[in-house]
Amino acid sequence: MERSVNMKLIVTLFWSLALGQVVGYVATALAGVPDPELWTTIISLIFGLFVYLFQAVAVKKEAKAN
């Protein structure tokens, strides 16, 4: 069980980082401003952590309802 939770967190953070970098690059390219890679990375990881925690809470509440 613990290993599954760790892998879900790692995969969620990896994909949030990858997709966040793509979105950040495209958005800054369209705006014509330099790409702040460090801030894009930090915001992507925070958003990925938020999504992971939201999913963990939502699944627990759904399981209790059944």
Side-chain angles (χ1 to χ4, degrees):
M1 179 71 178
E2 185 68 29
R3 187 173 185 169
S4 174
V5 171
N6 290 338
M7 287 305 295
K8 284 183 182 180
L9 179 60
I10 290 170
V11 170
T12 301
L13 291 178
F14 171 78
W15 281 108
S16 68
L17 179 65
L19 294 174
Q21 289 294 325
V22 170
V23 169
Y25 176 78
V26 170
T28 56
L30 290 173
V33 296
D35 184 19
E37 293 178 17
L38 178 63
W39 284 106
T40 306
T41 301
I42 293 170
I43 292 170
S44 298
L45 292 176
I46 290 172
F47 183 75
L49 188 59
F50 173 75
V51 168
Y52 175 78
L53 293 174
F54 182 77
Q55 173 269 334
V57 171
V59 169
K60 286 182 182 178
K61 286 185 178 180
E62 183 180 307
K64 288 181 182 178
N66 293 331

